[in-house]
Amino acid sequence: NSTLSGNSARRGGGISNYGIASMVTVSNSTVSGNSATYVGGGIYAGSAATVTVSNSTLSGNSAGISGGGVLNNGVLRVQNSTLSGNSANNNGGGILNSGTLTVSNSTLSGNSANGGGGGIYNVFSGRVTVQNSTLSGNSANRGGGIYRGDRPSTISNSIIANSSSGGACEGSFTNLGHNLIEDPDLAQYYDKLWDITRGPIFSPKRLVEVVRMNLGAYQHWVDAYAGRTPPETTPGECIEAIRAMARPV
């Protein structure tokens, strides 16, 4: 039930937690407008630290390097919370994770990074689980919504959408189902798929769209997204998951 606002530090502008086996819980609170010249604009969690953010808001925090909202090297749990409008000059506008991160029943929106991972950037041996959450309107050069580093990430019952730059996600993900991973170009493509698969079977509009789809008239929307994908990506890459998914009605 607290507000931490307008603070600054080299590491962890609002909160810095890096003691051995140290635990911090942010509950029903606001961490906003803080800055770090190095990492962790809102919160910094060291490798031996555990941080829980519950029913709270982290907004408008910034980092000179990475982790505009949070930089986590330890264990970070984000529950029923909102991270919005945070920014980083390098990676991880909302969160940069190299530890263990679980995001559940939460929203990451409007976060930005000049490098990778507007919403979430996962690096080194970090592990990320996103459940029942929304990542929307985040932006970065790569992985506007989420950027996966060296370890697979797990996404379930979540929406990753409307990234203004960098695409919805980049990297290999374990898809546990019931996700909507959407890109501005692909949104138009899925609208056409909806007409084909859900529209009246003998309607003139549907028949026209079937012909156009078969002739590749809309392939450029998929290619535009794929063009933002580095050539070394694997079959588990985000674009492959998108191509295989049906947009919810």
Side-chain angles (χ1 to χ4, degrees):
N1 303 299
S2 300
T3 298
L4 287 80
S5 180
N7 303 290
S8 62
R10 181 175 184 271
R11 179 182 300 175
I15 298 171
S16 184
N17 178 31
Y18 56 88
I20 297 175
S22 57
M23 302 179 67
V24 168
T25 298
V26 179
S27 180
N28 300 299
S29 296
T30 298
V31 181
S32 66
N34 302 289
S35 63
T37 56
Y38 184 39
V39 295
I43 300 173
Y44 172 81
S47 59
T50 298
V51 173
T52 300
V53 178
S54 178
N55 299 298
S56 296
T57 297
L58 277 70
S59 64
N61 302 289
S62 62
I65 304 297
S66 296
V70 184
L71 189 138
N72 175 54
N73 293 323
V75 176
L76 172 63
R77 304 182 186 96
V78 178
Q79 307 163 346
N80 305 302
S81 295
T82 297
L83 278 75
S84 64
N86 302 289
S87 62
N89 282 335
N90 194 10
N91 300 316
I95 301 171
L96 186 143
N97 176 66
S98 66
T100 301
L101 167 65
T102 302
V103 178
S104 60
N105 301 300
S106 295
T107 298
L108 278 73
S109 66
N111 302 289
S112 62
N114 292 331
I120 298 172
Y121 187 93
N122 190 45
V123 68
F124 303 132
S125 59
R127 295 181 179 273
V128 172
T129 300
V130 178
Q131 305 168 330
N132 307 310
S133 295
T134 297
L135 280 71
S136 178
N138 302 290
S139 63
N141 185 43
R142 300 176 64 180
I146 180 170
Y147 179 94
R148 183 210 69 86
D150 300 327
R151 295 273 186 170
S153 301
T154 300
I155 304 173
S156 63
N157 299 306
S158 295
I159 296 172
I160 304 178
N162 302 321
S163 300
S164 58
S165 63
C169 48
E170 183 173 314
S172 298
F173 297 88
T174 300
N175 183 348
L176 296 185
H178 305 290
N179 297 305
L180 170 59
I181 303 176
E182 185 178 68
D183 180 86
D185 290 306
L186 292 176
Q188 301 176 81
Y189 184 79
Y190 284 130
D191 285 338
K192 301 301 182 182
L193 284 180
W194 192 95
D195 291 335
I196 293 171
T197 60
R198 303 288 183 174
I201 189 168
F202 294 116
S203 72
K205 180 179 181 181
R206 177 183 178 276
L207 296 175
V208 168
E209 297 299 356
V210 168
V211 172
R212 289 177 175 172
M213 185 68 72
N214 287 334
L215 292 176
Y218 307 124
Q219 186 62 32
H220 63 283
W221 285 325
V222 175
D223 293 341
Y225 184 89
R228 294 192 289 273
T229 301
E232 68 272 13
T233 51
T234 65
E237 213 274 317
C238 182
I239 181 63
E240 299 297 334
I242 293 173
R243 283 173 170 156
M245 288 181 348
R247 191 178 186 184
V249 179

